[in-house]
Amino acid sequence: MTSTRRTGRPRLVSLTSGPLAPSSRLARIVVTVAAASLLLTAGVVGLPASSATAASYPSWEDVQKARGDETAKQAEITNLEGILTQMQADLDAANTEAEKRGDELQKAQSAYDDAQYKTAQLQSQADSADQVAAASEERAGQLAAQLGRSGGTNGVSGTLIADPGEAGQLLYKLGAMSKLTEQADGIYAQATQDRNTAQGLSDQAAVAEAALAVLADEAQQALADANDAAQAASDALAAQQENQARLQAQLETLKTNVDHTEAEYQKGVEESRAAAAAAAAATNGTALGIVSPQGWTRPAGGNISSGFGMRVNPVTHAYILHAGTDLAAGCNTPIYAATAGVVSYAGWYGGYGNFVLIDHGNGVTTGYGHQPNGGIMVSVGQAVGTGQQIGHVGSTGNSTGCHLHFETRVGGVAQNPQPFMADRGIRL
Protein backbone atom coordinates (compact mmCIF):
# COMPACT_ATOMS: atom_id res chain seq x y z
CA MET A 1 0.00 0.00 0.00
CA THR A 2 1.02 3.57 -0.56
CA SER A 3 2.50 5.00 2.62
CA THR A 4 0.20 7.94 3.05
CA ARG A 5 -1.94 9.11 5.88
CA ARG A 6 -4.67 6.72 6.90
CA THR A 7 -8.21 7.80 6.25
CA GLY A 8 -10.63 6.29 8.73
CA ARG A 9 -14.40 6.19 8.93
CA PRO A 10 -16.31 8.88 7.02
CA ARG A 11 -17.85 11.74 8.90
CA LEU A 12 -21.62 11.43 8.93
CA VAL A 13 -22.71 14.93 8.13
CA SER A 14 -25.76 16.70 6.85
CA LEU A 15 -26.77 17.76 3.40
CA THR A 16 -25.71 21.30 4.17
CA SER A 17 -22.41 20.83 5.94
CA GLY A 18 -20.07 18.72 3.87
CA PRO A 19 -19.45 15.27 2.35
CA LEU A 20 -22.20 12.71 2.29
CA ALA A 21 -22.46 9.68 4.53
CA PRO A 22 -21.21 6.34 3.17
CA SER A 23 -24.32 5.00 1.47
CA SER A 24 -24.41 4.16 -2.20
CA ARG A 25 -27.29 6.35 -3.15
CA LEU A 26 -26.15 9.06 -0.77
CA ALA A 27 -22.71 8.98 -2.33
CA ARG A 28 -24.04 9.42 -5.85
CA ILE A 29 -25.68 12.78 -5.24
CA VAL A 30 -23.50 15.88 -5.29
CA VAL A 31 -24.83 18.53 -2.93
CA THR A 32 -24.16 22.24 -2.73
CA VAL A 33 -24.59 24.37 0.36
CA ALA A 34 -26.76 27.14 -1.03
CA ALA A 35 -30.34 26.27 -0.20
CA ALA A 36 -31.80 28.25 -3.09
CA SER A 37 -29.73 26.27 -5.61
CA LEU A 38 -30.00 22.88 -3.94
CA LEU A 39 -30.13 20.15 -6.62
CA LEU A 40 -33.43 18.32 -6.75
CA THR A 41 -33.20 14.98 -8.52
CA ALA A 42 -36.08 14.47 -10.93
CA GLY A 43 -38.57 11.83 -9.87
CA VAL A 44 -37.20 11.30 -6.35
CA VAL A 45 -39.89 10.05 -4.00
CA GLY A 46 -40.13 8.45 -0.58
CA LEU A 47 -39.93 9.89 2.91
CA PRO A 48 -38.58 8.48 6.18
CA ALA A 49 -40.99 7.85 9.01
CA SER A 50 -40.96 10.97 11.17
CA SER A 51 -43.14 13.77 12.45
CA ALA A 52 -42.09 15.86 9.45
CA THR A 53 -44.31 14.14 6.90
CA ALA A 54 -45.28 15.53 3.52
CA ALA A 55 -48.77 16.32 4.83
CA SER A 56 -47.29 18.72 7.39
CA TYR A 57 -45.22 20.71 4.88
CA PRO A 58 -46.61 24.22 4.39
CA SER A 59 -47.53 25.34 0.88
CA TRP A 60 -46.46 28.59 -0.76
CA GLU A 61 -50.03 29.79 -0.25
CA ASP A 62 -49.71 29.14 3.50
CA VAL A 63 -46.50 31.18 3.57
CA GLN A 64 -48.02 34.10 1.67
CA LYS A 65 -50.99 34.17 4.07
CA ALA A 66 -48.70 34.12 7.11
CA ARG A 67 -46.68 37.11 5.86
CA GLY A 68 -49.58 39.47 6.57
CA ASP A 69 -49.95 38.48 10.22
CA GLU A 70 -46.98 38.80 12.57
CA THR A 71 -48.27 36.16 14.96
CA ALA A 72 -48.99 33.73 12.15
CA LYS A 73 -45.64 34.49 10.57
CA GLN A 74 -43.72 33.68 13.74
CA ALA A 75 -45.70 30.49 14.19
CA GLU A 76 -44.94 29.45 10.61
CA ILE A 77 -41.24 30.26 11.08
CA THR A 78 -41.18 28.02 14.17
CA ASN A 79 -42.99 25.30 12.23
CA LEU A 80 -40.56 25.46 9.31
CA GLU A 81 -37.49 25.45 11.54
CA GLY A 82 -38.88 22.42 13.39
CA ILE A 83 -39.49 20.53 10.15
CA LEU A 84 -35.98 21.30 8.89
CA THR A 85 -34.45 20.18 12.20
CA GLN A 86 -36.45 16.94 12.13
CA MET A 87 -35.40 16.25 8.54
CA GLN A 88 -31.76 16.62 9.51
CA ALA A 89 -32.26 14.37 12.54
CA ASP A 90 -33.88 11.73 10.33
CA LEU A 91 -30.93 11.85 7.93
CA ASP A 92 -28.33 11.67 10.70
CA ALA A 93 -30.09 8.69 12.31
CA ALA A 94 -30.40 6.90 8.97
CA ASN A 95 -26.72 7.52 8.18
CA THR A 96 -25.66 6.18 11.56
CA GLU A 97 -27.77 3.05 11.13
CA ALA A 98 -26.42 2.49 7.60
CA GLU A 99 -22.84 2.66 8.88
CA LYS A 100 -23.64 0.28 11.74
CA ARG A 101 -25.21 -2.26 9.41
CA GLY A 102 -22.32 -1.92 6.98
CA ASP A 103 -19.88 -2.71 9.79
CA GLU A 104 -21.93 -5.79 10.71
CA LEU A 105 -21.99 -6.92 7.08
CA GLN A 106 -18.22 -6.69 6.73
CA LYS A 107 -17.65 -8.57 9.99
CA ALA A 108 -20.06 -11.33 8.98
CA GLN A 109 -18.51 -11.69 5.54
CA SER A 110 -14.97 -11.67 6.94
CA ALA A 111 -15.89 -14.34 9.49
CA TYR A 112 -17.23 -16.52 6.68
CA ASP A 113 -14.20 -15.88 4.44
CA ASP A 114 -11.72 -16.69 7.17
CA ALA A 115 -13.58 -19.87 8.20
CA GLN A 116 -14.03 -20.98 4.60
CA TYR A 117 -10.33 -20.52 3.84
CA LYS A 118 -9.32 -22.51 6.92
CA THR A 119 -11.91 -25.20 6.20
CA ALA A 120 -10.54 -25.60 2.67
CA GLN A 121 -7.02 -25.99 4.10
CA LEU A 122 -8.28 -28.51 6.66
CA GLN A 123 -10.06 -30.50 3.95
CA SER A 124 -6.88 -30.50 1.87
CA GLN A 125 -4.95 -31.85 4.84
CA ALA A 126 -7.63 -34.51 5.39
CA ASP A 127 -7.45 -35.56 1.73
CA SER A 128 -3.65 -35.83 1.91
CA ALA A 129 -3.84 -37.81 5.17
CA ASP A 130 -6.38 -40.14 3.57
CA GLN A 131 -3.94 -40.86 0.73
CA VAL A 132 -1.14 -41.57 3.23
CA ALA A 133 -3.42 -43.87 5.24
CA ALA A 134 -4.48 -45.73 2.09
CA ALA A 135 -0.83 -46.25 1.13
CA SER A 136 0.01 -47.50 4.65
CA GLU A 137 -2.91 -49.90 4.58
CA GLU A 138 -1.81 -51.18 1.18
CA ARG A 139 1.69 -51.91 2.50
CA ALA A 140 0.23 -53.68 5.53
CA GLY A 141 -2.01 -55.73 3.26
CA GLN A 142 0.91 -56.74 1.06
CA LEU A 143 2.90 -57.84 4.10
CA ALA A 144 -0.06 -59.79 5.47
CA ALA A 145 -0.39 -61.58 2.13
CA GLN A 146 3.35 -62.38 2.11
CA LEU A 147 3.21 -63.79 5.61
CA GLY A 148 0.12 -65.75 4.73
CA ARG A 149 1.83 -67.45 1.82
CA SER A 150 4.65 -68.57 4.14
CA GLY A 151 2.30 -69.65 6.91
CA GLY A 152 2.85 -66.58 9.04
CA THR A 153 5.59 -66.09 11.59
CA ASN A 154 4.84 -69.51 13.13
CA GLY A 155 5.28 -71.11 9.73
CA VAL A 156 8.59 -69.36 9.27
CA SER A 157 9.71 -70.59 12.70
CA GLY A 158 8.74 -74.17 11.86
CA THR A 159 10.67 -74.05 8.61
CA LEU A 160 13.77 -72.82 10.38
CA ILE A 161 13.60 -75.60 13.00
CA ALA A 162 12.95 -78.34 10.42
CA ASP A 163 15.90 -77.28 8.29
CA PRO A 164 18.23 -75.27 10.53
CA GLY A 165 21.33 -75.67 8.32
CA GLU A 166 24.52 -74.45 9.78
CA ALA A 167 24.47 -72.65 13.09
CA GLY A 168 25.42 -69.32 11.54
CA GLN A 169 22.70 -69.59 8.96
CA LEU A 170 20.21 -70.50 11.68
CA LEU A 171 21.10 -67.40 13.66
CA TYR A 172 20.86 -65.28 10.52
CA LYS A 173 17.45 -66.71 9.68
CA LEU A 174 16.21 -66.24 13.24
CA GLY A 175 17.39 -62.62 13.16
CA ALA A 176 15.69 -62.08 9.82
CA MET A 177 12.48 -63.56 11.22
CA SER A 178 12.68 -61.23 14.21
CA LYS A 179 13.24 -58.25 11.95
CA LEU A 180 10.34 -59.29 9.73
CA THR A 181 8.03 -59.58 12.73
CA GLU A 182 9.22 -56.21 14.04
CA GLN A 183 8.69 -54.66 10.63
CA ALA A 184 5.20 -56.11 10.36
CA ASP A 185 4.22 -54.74 13.76
CA GLY A 186 5.55 -51.32 12.76
CA ILE A 187 3.72 -51.30 9.44
CA TYR A 188 0.42 -52.33 11.08
CA ALA A 189 0.84 -49.69 13.80
CA GLN A 190 1.68 -46.97 11.26
CA ALA A 191 -1.31 -47.90 9.12
CA THR A 192 -3.59 -47.65 12.15
CA GLN A 193 -2.08 -44.31 13.17
CA ASP A 194 -2.35 -42.89 9.65
CA ARG A 195 -5.98 -43.93 9.37
CA ASN A 196 -6.80 -42.39 12.77
CA THR A 197 -5.12 -39.16 11.71
CA ALA A 198 -7.05 -39.07 8.42
CA GLN A 199 -10.33 -39.78 10.19
CA GLY A 200 -9.69 -37.10 12.78
CA LEU A 201 -8.98 -34.48 10.12
CA SER A 202 -12.03 -35.56 8.13
CA ASP A 203 -14.21 -35.23 11.24
CA GLN A 204 -12.81 -31.73 11.89
CA ALA A 205 -13.44 -30.72 8.27
CA ALA A 206 -17.03 -31.97 8.48
CA VAL A 207 -17.67 -29.95 11.64
CA ALA A 208 -16.09 -26.86 10.04
CA GLU A 209 -18.19 -27.34 6.89
CA ALA A 210 -21.38 -27.44 8.96
CA ALA A 211 -20.35 -24.26 10.78
CA LEU A 212 -19.75 -22.59 7.41
CA ALA A 213 -23.40 -22.95 6.48
CA VAL A 214 -24.38 -20.96 9.58
CA LEU A 215 -21.82 -18.24 8.82
CA ALA A 216 -23.03 -18.05 5.22
CA ASP A 217 -26.61 -17.51 6.39
CA GLU A 218 -25.46 -14.82 8.80
CA ALA A 219 -23.55 -13.03 6.02
CA GLN A 220 -26.59 -13.20 3.72
CA GLN A 221 -28.85 -11.75 6.41
CA ALA A 222 -26.30 -9.03 7.14
CA LEU A 223 -26.29 -8.09 3.44
CA ALA A 224 -30.07 -7.77 3.44
CA ASP A 225 -29.98 -5.65 6.63
CA ALA A 226 -27.24 -3.43 5.23
CA ASN A 227 -29.17 -2.89 2.00
CA ASP A 228 -32.31 -2.00 3.98
CA ALA A 229 -30.35 0.50 6.06
CA ALA A 230 -28.74 2.00 2.96
CA GLN A 231 -32.19 2.35 1.38
CA ALA A 232 -33.52 4.07 4.50
CA ALA A 233 -30.59 6.49 4.41
CA SER A 234 -31.25 7.10 0.73
CA ASP A 235 -34.91 7.77 1.44
CA ALA A 236 -33.98 10.22 4.19
CA LEU A 237 -31.67 12.06 1.82
CA ALA A 238 -34.31 12.02 -0.92
CA ALA A 239 -36.81 13.57 1.50
CA GLN A 240 -34.33 16.29 2.37
CA GLN A 241 -33.43 16.91 -1.27
CA GLU A 242 -37.04 16.98 -2.33
CA ASN A 243 -38.16 19.46 0.31
CA GLN A 244 -35.32 21.28 2.05
CA ALA A 245 -34.60 23.89 -0.60
CA ARG A 246 -38.29 24.84 -0.87
CA LEU A 247 -38.73 24.97 2.90
CA GLN A 248 -35.63 27.12 3.35
CA ALA A 249 -36.78 29.44 0.56
CA GLN A 250 -40.15 29.72 2.32
CA LEU A 251 -38.39 30.40 5.61
CA GLU A 252 -36.29 33.13 3.99
CA THR A 253 -39.48 34.69 2.59
CA LEU A 254 -40.95 34.91 6.08
CA LYS A 255 -37.77 36.08 7.84
CA THR A 256 -36.76 38.75 5.29
CA ASN A 257 -40.29 39.60 4.14
CA VAL A 258 -39.03 39.47 0.56
CA ASP A 259 -41.74 38.17 -1.76
CA HIS A 260 -40.12 35.05 -3.21
CA THR A 261 -42.69 33.32 -5.42
CA GLU A 262 -43.22 29.67 -6.21
CA ALA A 263 -42.60 30.40 -9.91
CA GLU A 264 -39.15 31.83 -9.12
CA TYR A 265 -38.36 28.82 -7.00
CA GLN A 266 -39.44 26.34 -9.71
CA LYS A 267 -37.30 28.16 -12.27
CA GLY A 268 -34.28 27.65 -10.03
CA VAL A 269 -35.20 23.98 -9.63
CA GLU A 270 -35.28 23.42 -13.39
CA GLU A 271 -31.91 25.12 -13.82
CA SER A 272 -30.43 22.92 -11.09
CA ARG A 273 -31.86 19.79 -12.72
CA ALA A 274 -30.33 20.71 -16.05
CA ALA A 275 -26.93 21.30 -14.40
CA ALA A 276 -27.17 17.96 -12.58
CA ALA A 277 -28.01 16.12 -15.81
CA ALA A 278 -25.04 17.71 -17.57
CA ALA A 279 -22.71 16.76 -14.70
CA ALA A 280 -23.99 13.17 -14.72
CA ALA A 281 -23.48 12.88 -18.46
CA ALA A 282 -19.90 14.10 -18.06
CA THR A 283 -18.95 11.70 -15.25
CA ASN A 284 -21.12 8.60 -15.52
CA GLY A 285 -20.07 7.30 -18.91
CA THR A 286 -18.08 4.26 -19.91
CA ALA A 287 -14.28 4.29 -20.10
CA LEU A 288 -13.07 1.03 -21.59
CA GLY A 289 -9.53 -0.26 -21.41
CA ILE A 290 -8.52 -3.62 -22.85
CA VAL A 291 -11.48 -6.00 -22.88
CA SER A 292 -10.70 -9.70 -23.12
CA PRO A 293 -12.53 -12.05 -25.50
CA GLN A 294 -14.38 -13.33 -22.42
CA GLY A 295 -15.71 -9.80 -21.79
CA TRP A 296 -13.60 -8.77 -18.79
CA THR A 297 -11.38 -5.75 -18.15
CA ARG A 298 -8.99 -4.46 -15.49
CA PRO A 299 -10.92 -2.67 -12.71
CA ALA A 300 -8.31 0.03 -12.02
CA GLY A 301 -4.74 1.06 -12.64
CA GLY A 302 -1.78 0.52 -10.34
CA ASN A 303 0.51 -2.35 -9.43
CA ILE A 304 -0.40 -5.04 -6.91
CA SER A 305 0.48 -3.80 -3.44
CA SER A 306 -0.97 -6.72 -1.44
CA GLY A 307 -2.09 -10.13 -2.65
CA PHE A 308 -4.72 -12.66 -1.67
CA GLY A 309 -4.23 -14.86 1.42
CA MET A 310 -3.66 -14.88 5.16
CA ARG A 311 -1.80 -11.82 6.43
CA VAL A 312 -1.45 -9.42 9.35
CA ASN A 313 -3.82 -6.52 8.70
CA PRO A 314 -1.67 -3.36 8.52
CA VAL A 315 -4.20 -1.36 10.55
CA THR A 316 -5.84 -3.79 12.99
CA HIS A 317 -2.76 -6.10 13.20
CA ALA A 318 -5.11 -9.12 13.22
CA TYR A 319 -3.95 -12.24 11.36
CA ILE A 320 -6.84 -12.80 8.99
CA LEU A 321 -7.62 -13.63 5.40
CA HIS A 322 -7.11 -10.80 2.92
CA ALA A 323 -9.95 -11.80 0.61
CA GLY A 324 -8.82 -9.78 -2.41
CA THR A 325 -5.98 -8.12 -4.26
CA ASP A 326 -4.96 -4.49 -3.71
CA LEU A 327 -4.17 -2.32 -6.74
CA ALA A 328 -2.19 0.79 -5.82
CA ALA A 329 -3.99 3.22 -8.13
CA GLY A 330 -3.91 6.98 -7.50
CA CYS A 331 -6.43 8.79 -5.32
CA ASN A 332 -9.73 9.61 -7.07
CA THR A 333 -8.77 7.72 -10.24
CA PRO A 334 -11.61 5.74 -11.85
CA ILE A 335 -12.81 2.29 -10.82
CA TYR A 336 -14.45 0.26 -13.58
CA ALA A 337 -16.79 -2.73 -13.52
CA ALA A 338 -14.64 -5.77 -14.34
CA THR A 339 -17.49 -7.16 -16.44
CA ALA A 340 -21.22 -6.59 -16.94
CA GLY A 341 -23.58 -7.23 -14.05
CA VAL A 342 -26.05 -5.81 -11.55
CA VAL A 343 -25.07 -3.92 -8.38
CA SER A 344 -26.11 -5.95 -5.32
CA TYR A 345 -24.56 -3.70 -2.66
CA ALA A 346 -23.17 -0.20 -2.61
CA GLY A 347 -22.37 1.46 0.70
CA TRP A 348 -20.31 1.36 3.85
CA TYR A 349 -18.57 -1.98 4.46
CA GLY A 350 -16.63 -1.79 7.71
CA GLY A 351 -12.88 -2.07 7.28
CA TYR A 352 -13.24 -1.91 3.50
CA GLY A 353 -14.80 1.54 3.63
CA ASN A 354 -17.20 2.49 0.86
CA PHE A 355 -17.73 -0.66 -1.18
CA VAL A 356 -19.53 -1.84 -4.32
CA LEU A 357 -20.53 -5.47 -4.94
CA ILE A 358 -21.58 -6.52 -8.46
CA ASP A 359 -23.40 -9.76 -9.30
CA HIS A 360 -22.38 -11.14 -12.71
CA GLY A 361 -24.63 -14.21 -12.66
CA ASN A 362 -23.83 -17.90 -12.24
CA GLY A 363 -22.64 -17.24 -8.68
CA VAL A 364 -19.83 -14.88 -9.77
CA THR A 365 -19.44 -11.53 -7.99
CA THR A 366 -16.76 -8.83 -7.81
CA GLY A 367 -16.15 -6.27 -5.06
CA TYR A 368 -14.50 -2.84 -5.04
CA GLY A 369 -13.43 -1.35 -1.69
CA HIS A 370 -12.00 1.76 0.01
CA GLN A 371 -13.81 4.26 -2.23
CA PRO A 372 -13.88 7.86 -0.96
CA ASN A 373 -16.92 9.48 0.61
CA GLY A 374 -19.12 10.60 -2.25
CA GLY A 375 -17.09 8.50 -4.67
CA ILE A 376 -19.56 5.70 -5.43
CA MET A 377 -21.35 6.27 -8.74
CA VAL A 378 -23.85 3.38 -8.78
CA SER A 379 -26.76 2.12 -6.70
CA VAL A 380 -28.28 -1.22 -5.74
CA GLY A 381 -30.21 -2.80 -8.61
CA GLN A 382 -28.42 -0.80 -11.29
CA ALA A 383 -27.16 -2.68 -14.37
CA VAL A 384 -23.59 -1.83 -15.37
CA GLY A 385 -21.57 -2.68 -18.44
CA THR A 386 -18.02 -3.95 -18.79
CA GLY A 387 -15.63 -1.08 -18.14
CA GLN A 388 -18.31 1.34 -16.93
CA GLN A 389 -17.03 3.65 -14.23
CA ILE A 390 -18.65 2.69 -10.93
CA GLY A 391 -16.62 4.81 -8.51
CA HIS A 392 -13.27 6.24 -7.53
CA VAL A 393 -10.13 4.98 -5.81
CA GLY A 394 -9.88 6.11 -2.20
CA SER A 395 -8.66 5.20 1.27
CA THR A 396 -11.71 4.83 3.54
CA GLY A 397 -11.95 2.08 6.15
CA ASN A 398 -8.84 0.23 7.30
CA SER A 399 -6.48 1.70 4.73
CA THR A 400 -3.03 3.27 4.85
CA GLY A 401 -3.22 4.93 1.44
CA CYS A 402 -5.25 5.19 -1.73
CA HIS A 403 -5.79 1.85 -3.48
CA LEU A 404 -8.52 -0.42 -4.80
CA HIS A 405 -9.30 -3.55 -2.82
CA PHE A 406 -10.61 -5.87 -5.56
CA GLU A 407 -12.46 -9.11 -4.76
CA THR A 408 -13.62 -12.01 -6.92
CA ARG A 409 -16.04 -14.65 -5.63
CA VAL A 410 -17.67 -17.80 -6.93
CA GLY A 411 -20.68 -19.08 -5.01
CA GLY A 412 -19.86 -16.57 -2.28
CA VAL A 413 -16.39 -18.05 -1.78
CA ALA A 414 -13.47 -15.63 -2.18
CA GLN A 415 -11.09 -16.53 -4.99
CA ASN A 416 -7.57 -15.26 -5.66
CA PRO A 417 -8.22 -12.42 -8.16
CA GLN A 418 -4.90 -12.88 -9.99
CA PRO A 419 -5.52 -16.39 -11.40
CA PHE A 420 -9.26 -15.69 -11.55
CA MET A 421 -8.75 -12.70 -13.86
CA ALA A 422 -5.93 -14.45 -15.77
CA ASP A 423 -8.38 -17.24 -16.64
CA ARG A 424 -10.57 -14.53 -18.15
CA GLY A 425 -7.80 -12.95 -20.18
CA ILE A 426 -6.89 -10.07 -17.87
CA ARG A 427 -3.60 -9.56 -16.05
CA LEU A 428 -3.69 -7.64 -12.78
Side-chain angles (χ1 to χ4, degrees), residues 83-276:
I83 292 173
L84 288 167
T85 299
Q86 183 62 52
M87 288 173 65
Q88 186 59 57
D90 289 340
L91 179 59
D92 290 343
N95 283 341
T96 299
E97 181 66 13
E99 182 180 7
K100 174 185 175 184
R101 295 301 183 184
D103 285 342
E104 292 172 353
L105 170 60
Q106 191 265 317
K107 289 178 181 177
Q109 186 63 61
S110 291
Y112 172 81
D113 289 344
D114 197 48
Q116 193 282 327
Y117 186 81
K118 292 175 180 177
T119 298
Q121 289 184 318
L122 189 59
Q123 186 61 58
S124 178
Q125 293 172 8
D127 292 342
S128 296
D130 186 70
Q131 293 177 355
V132 171
S136 295
E137 288 168 346
E138 183 179 2
R139 287 195 300 272
Q142 291 171 346
L143 180 60
Q146 179 183 349
L147 291 174
R149 286 193 295 271
S150 62
T153 55
N154 290 334
V156 173
S157 300
T159 300
L160 291 173
I161 294 172
D163 183 21
E166 296 181 1
Q169 291 179 342
L170 174 60
L171 291 175
Y172 173 80
K173 290 178 181 180
L174 288 173
M177 183 187 70
S178 176
K179 288 292 184 183
L180 181 62
T181 303
E182 181 181 336
Q183 182 183 23
D185 291 342
I187 289 175
Y188 294 150
Q190 186 63 51
T192 301
Q193 179 181 333
D194 289 344
R195 175 52 60 193
N196 289 340
T197 298
Q199 188 60 53
L201 288 170
S202 294
D203 292 344
Q204 292 179 50
V207 171
E209 189 70 29
L212 269 183
V214 176
L215 292 174
D217 289 343
E218 291 176 353
Q220 192 63 34
Q221 183 59 52
L223 175 60
D225 292 343
N227 269 328
D228 287 345
Q231 182 62 57
S234 176
D235 290 345
L237 179 61
Q240 195 181 60
Q241 279 193 294
E242 184 71 14
N243 299 289
Q244 187 179 50
R246 182 186 72 256
L247 295 172
Q248 287 184 333
Q250 292 173 344
L251 185 60
E252 184 182 4
T253 294
L254 292 171
K255 286 185 173 180
T256 64
N257 213 34
V258 176
D259 188 13
H260 296 294
T261 67
E262 184 175 5
E264 291 173 335
Y265 170 75
Q266 290 299 336
K267 180 181 178 181
V269 167
E270 293 304 321
E271 291 175 351
S272 295
R273 282 175 175 163

Side-chain angles (χ1 to χ4, degrees), residues 264-335:
E264 291 173 335
Y265 170 75
Q266 290 299 336
K267 180 181 178 181
V269 167
E270 293 304 321
E271 291 175 351
S272 295
R273 282 175 175 163
T283 61
N284 202 30
T286 299
L288 293 174
I290 296 174
V291 179
S292 71
Q294 296 94 321
W296 288 71
T297 191
R298 207 175 197 271
N303 296 322
I304 293 176
S305 57
S306 184
F308 178 93
M310 299 298 293
R311 69 167 191 180
V312 176
N313 185 287
V315 175
T316 66
H317 306 296
Y319 184 70
I320 194 169
L321 176 68
H322 182 232
T325 294
D326 291 344
L327 299 176
C331 296
N332 294 314
T333 54
I335 297 174

Side-chain angles (χ1 to χ4, degrees), residues 316-358:
T316 66
H317 306 296
Y319 184 70
I320 194 169
L321 176 68
H322 182 232
T325 294
D326 291 344
L327 299 176
C331 296
N332 294 314
T333 54
I335 297 174
Y336 306 112
T339 193
V342 177
V343 177
S344 57
Y345 183 72
W348 185 250
Y349 189 54
Y352 292 108
N354 297 313
F355 186 87
V356 171
L357 183 67
I358 301 178

Side-chain angles (χ1 to χ4, degrees), residues 8-28:
R9 294 171 179 261
R11 292 183 298 116
L12 298 182
V13 292
S14 74
L15 197 66
T16 58
S17 62
L20 296 175
S23 169
S24 58
R25 293 183 175 83
L26 278 67
R28 292 180 59 209

